[in-house]
Amino acid sequence: MENLDKQYVLPTYARNYINFVKGSNATLFDENGNDYIDFTSGIGVVSVGHSNERLSNALCEQAKNIIHISNLYYIEPQAKLAKKIAELSGIEGKTFFANSGAEANEGALKIARKYGEVNGEIKRYKVITLKNSFHGRTITTVKATGQEKMHTSYFGPYPDGFVYADDIADIYNKIDNKTVAVMMELIQGEGGVYPFDKEEVQKLADELKKRDILLIIDEVQTGVYRTGEFLASNLYEIKPDIITMAKGLGGGVPIGAIFTTLDVLSPGDHGSTFGGNYLSTRAGLEVCDILEEYKNSGKLDENFIYFEEKLNEIAKKYPKLFEEVAGLGMMRALRCRGSEVQDIIYKEAHNEKVLVLKAGRNSIRFLPPLTITKDEIKEGFDRFEKVLKRIND
Ligand SMILES: *Cc1c(COP(=O)(O)O)cnc(C)c1O
């Protein structure tokens, strides 16, 4: 497999060569029948677990009827998913469907730019983003990402108009008469799992509203129950002008969404060939239904509590390795004492057959399926501890 991959696939990832052939909730099986506990859910994507029966039945049924028509026609599951997003978020807004997180963010930036063109005397186009953020890999979203190391000269020139703030307090210093929007995550994910303070975010949201500056919340990772509520914006009790979603929304089927209360776009302003097609929106609808029920049954919160208990136990037991437990809900990290510790744990975890992620400079990140069972959590942490015991000595 390694040869085939290396001969024909562009080498943009440092890949692990494990050949997974089957998954079941938070458990994966390789070609030799070894089982792995998946604390990654494909980077926050497989929110309802691998081979979820309800999701796979919905997809099969949909595939047998229509997979794709085009946005030139009415698409019933698209309209229903848009309604569901408005209902679950408790925000009166409309949705545009894209195919990925970066693409959703691109669309959000287009909405902001048009808003800045048509509202006010001078064109406002600047968007403030935060240091250590992550917004995607297209040329624009890479530039929106507030990490200097991502703006390599290879891909320049980049679009103008992005301004980086060190933290929320610094956003106020960076505002000028050309500022049209602030774009941020509520919990920085790729940057290392850093939640922002709720009151500080609420104050920012109020202040921006007063100044007619848009608030774009990138919920590509935090959205769709990852933090315990449908949106992290619900948890933070704010009503942003634009919210983007992607990762967990399709349960593994590519989908992105721009959800906005603004009435800015007209026919011809934006579009997507694949975006919002029958298959992806049917997936999104089923995922939302499954997770809404899961949340209402109390199981989601039980999972969060158990997962947190386990992380706290480990942080307490291995103070030589870890500084703290970070994050919210099922978006978690153990902050390691240095990047060497992070690297060793990451590598060794694969050998013990538990999959985890790295984030930022020194975090081991956990993004398990939201439907992970208690047994899977326990088994995963038992395996994880074997790694820790070895390197703790
Ligand atoms: C993953 C991620 C993106 C990019 O999503 P893609 O689907 O990979 O384009 C953007 N923003 C945040 C916060 C993310 O976590």
Side-chain angles (χ1 to χ4, degrees):
M1 64 175 148
E2 194 164 342
N3 289 342
L4 185 68
D5 188 68
K6 287 190 168 151
Q7 191 171 354
Y8 293 108
V9 180
L10 286 172
T12 57
Y13 290 95
R15 274 210 167 115
N16 295 292
Y17 286 96
I18 307 169
N19 189 14
F20 292 115
V21 292
K22 168 84 187 138
S24 170
N25 203 27
T27 308
L28 282 163
F29 300 90
D30 70 13
E31 60 186 339
N32 302 315
N34 296 311
D35 59 281
Y36 293 71
I37 299 296
D38 181 10
F39 280 161
T40 74
S41 64
I43 320 188
V45 167
V46 190
S47 48
V48 295
H50 296 283
S51 68
N52 181 288
E53 199 177 333
R54 278 178 64 180
L55 178 59
S56 49
N57 285 345
L59 288 173
C60 289
E61 190 189 285
Q62 190 58 57
K64 284 178 189 161
N65 293 324
I66 300 175
I67 291 180
H68 181 94
I69 290 285
S70 86
N71 281 302
L72 301 177
Y73 300 92
Y74 171 66
I75 299 167
E76 192 179 24
Q78 182 182 121
K80 285 185 169 167
L81 179 56
K83 177 171 183 252
K84 192 83 193 171
I85 289 171
E87 281 172 2
L88 291 176
S89 66
I91 297 172
E92 270 179 53
K94 294 184 182 177
T95 300
F96 174 90
F97 290 100
N99 309 287
S100 68
E103 211 189 315
N105 286 338
E106 286 265 357
L109 292 165
K110 279 177 75 177
I111 293 174
R113 288 253 175 109
K114 183 167 176 193
Y115 183 88
E117 169 80 27
V118 299
N119 289 284
E121 275 126 53
I122 58 159
K123 179 172 172 74
R124 293 184 293 149
Y125 62 93
K126 288 187 189 172
V127 176
I128 300 173
T129 65
L130 287 165
K131 213 174 97 181
N132 212 33
S133 57
F134 183 79
H135 299 298
R137 296 290 205 152
T138 62
I139 291 199
T140 302
T141 56
V142 133
K143 188 64 177 169
T145 293
Q147 300 185 43
E148 204 48 56
K149 68 169 198 279
M150 301 270 292
H151 311 154
T152 69
S153 61
Y154 306 145
F155 310 121
Y158 291 97
D160 283 339
F162 292 102
V163 178
Y164 311 108
D166 291 335
D167 50 28
I168 290 183
D170 190 36
I171 289 175
Y172 301 102
N173 306 325
K174 296 284 156 59
I175 292 173
D176 66 21
N177 66 350
K178 302 273 172 57
T179 306
V180 72
V182 169
M183 178 157 89
M184 62 182 285
E185 301 148 273
L186 292 174
I187 305 171
Q188 290 184 332
E190 303 305 307
V193 192
Y194 292 96
F196 288 103
D197 177 73
K198 182 171 171 177
E199 271 176 36
E200 227 186 331
V201 169
Q202 288 179 336
K203 197 178 134 252
L204 175 71
D206 287 344
E207 193 61 33
L208 294 178
K209 192 130 281 175
K210 275 186 214 143
R211 300 194 196 186
D212 190 30
I213 294 169
L214 304 177
L215 179 59
I216 306 171
I217 299 293
D218 178 346
E219 296 228 28
V220 168
Q221 193 161 146
T222 55
V224 199
Y225 294 102
R226 179 57 59 186
T227 68
E229 298 298 330
F230 176 62
L231 296 173
S233 296
N234 298 134
L235 191 69
Y236 278 68
E237 297 176 281
I238 54 165
K239 294 203 167 163
D241 303 285
I242 308 175
I243 294 168
T244 55
M245 285 163 246
K247 289 192 166 90
L249 183 57
V253 179
I255 188 170
I258 310 162
F259 176 56
T260 181
T261 57
L262 302 172
D263 188 16
V264 169
L265 295 181
S266 320
D269 279 340
H270 196 44
S272 165
T273 300
F274 290 121
N277 83 7
Y278 280 84
L279 196 72
S280 63
T281 51
R282 182 65 198 272
L285 205 50
E286 199 63 34
V287 165
C288 286
D289 282 344
I290 294 168
L291 292 177
E292 182 188 16
E293 284 172 30
Y294 201 70
K295 165 81 182 170
N296 291 340
S297 74
K299 285 187 200 147
L300 187 65
D301 296 312
E302 277 174 34
N303 269 354
F304 288 173
I305 291 167
Y306 188 57
F307 208 85
E308 181 167 40
E309 263 173 37
K310 284 283 173 195
L311 286 171
N312 285 334
E313 239 174 74
I314 281 177
K316 220 172 141 189
K317 218 161 143 185
Y318 299 94
K320 255 166 59 186
L321 302 177
F322 303 115
E323 284 169 16
E324 60 167 349
V325 175
L328 289 166
M330 283 294 196
M331 190 169 169
R332 293 286 186 170
L334 283 167
R335 204 86 71 214
C336 303
R337 297 198 185 274
S339 58
E340 295 88 45
V341 177
Q342 178 197 31
D343 281 338
I344 300 172
I345 293 176
Y346 178 72
K347 275 200 202 99
E348 291 292 319
H350 284 96
N351 297 334
E352 288 301 337
K353 302 192 170 53
V354 51
L355 307 183
V356 295
L357 294 161
K358 290 200 276 192
R361 282 173 301 104
N362 62 343
S363 296
I364 291 289
R365 182 167 48 145
F366 300 83
L367 288 172
L370 302 176
T371 54
I372 190 170
T373 64
K374 258 192 154 170
D375 287 346
E376 286 171 325
I377 296 175
K378 186 174 179 307
E379 179 62 27
F381 279 113
D382 284 350
R383 294 179 187 195
F384 191 67
E385 262 210 83
K386 285 191 192 159
V387 174
L388 305 182
K389 273 187 192 133
R390 260 208 314 277
I391 60 181
N392 197 45
D393 301 332

